[in-house]
Amino acid sequence: KGAAVLLGLAAMALLAYVATQPETGQTVRNGQFDIYHCLDGMAVFRCVGGFTIGLLAYRLRQTAWLMQLLRRDSVCFGLFALLLVGMAVPLPDLLLYPLLPLLVLSLYAAQGRALAFFSWAPFYRLGIYSYAIYLLHAHFHVVHGQLEKHLPRFMPETAANLVACIVVYGAVLGAAVFSYHYIEQPGRRWLRQRTAEAE
């Protein structure tokens, strides 16, 4: 347990270091952990810290009293609401980060209303497409910026921003759906087939 605590503190210290470093190497940084280049090692540090937190969260699922607390509907919905509010305000990434593994564990243990709500088909489908969304979304930053720049010529700025978001989010989701069904799934089947043949 002592080693796990020390490892968790080291991971959070690493993430705090990344979050407090100035923007370098990329033109846009929408948040403390929005780093997608590897020019100074910050993206690698962020990944190592996050991976370590994930391993520790997996270990925490064996803590009975914590899982009893996290499986409550009120806790699950409360963590979800705190994250939504924190992102809307927005709060710094470093303050929101600890809520993420807790929410994952809460969803893992969820029962009753929380389980029914988060098992809703649209949420489930978004979860399936989430990896493709994660990989593809950064490529749409330029499109979003160009729409926000040019649309105000034809409509009020508030409407232009809303239209830009709808268009870009729709495009990202469409690209993710296509990628999942025509690249990710066939790729998995091909890898499974090759693995089976090798055995």
Side-chain angles (χ1 to χ4, degrees), residues 152-168:
R153 300 176 184 174
F154 310 101
M155 62 186 72
E157 185 173 353
T158 302
N161 292 338
L162 179 60
V163 170
C165 287
I166 292 173
V167 170
V168 171

Side-chain angles (χ1 to χ4, degrees), residues 120-167:
W120 187 39
F123 288 162
Y124 174 77
R125 299 307 299 183
L126 284 174
I128 287 177
Y129 300 137
S130 63
Y131 185 61
I133 292 172
Y134 163 69
L135 291 177
L136 295 171
H137 79 279
H139 301 289
F140 291 82
H141 283 315
V142 174
V143 177
H144 188 259
Q146 290 298 312
L147 287 173
E148 285 191 326
K149 178 180 178 181
H150 296 292
L151 284 177
R153 300 176 184 174
F154 310 101
M155 62 186 72
E157 185 173 353
T158 302
N161 292 338
L162 179 60
V163 170
C165 287
I166 292 173
V167 170

Side-chain angles (χ1 to χ4, degrees), residues 59-78:
R59 179 171 174 172
L60 282 174
R61 72 185 178 86
Q62 300 174 354
T63 307
W65 69 266
L66 179 62
M67 299 309 293
Q68 285 289 343
L69 175 65
L70 292 176
R71 71 166 42 102
R72 296 179 181 175
D73 288 341
S74 58
V75 174
C76 191
F77 285 125

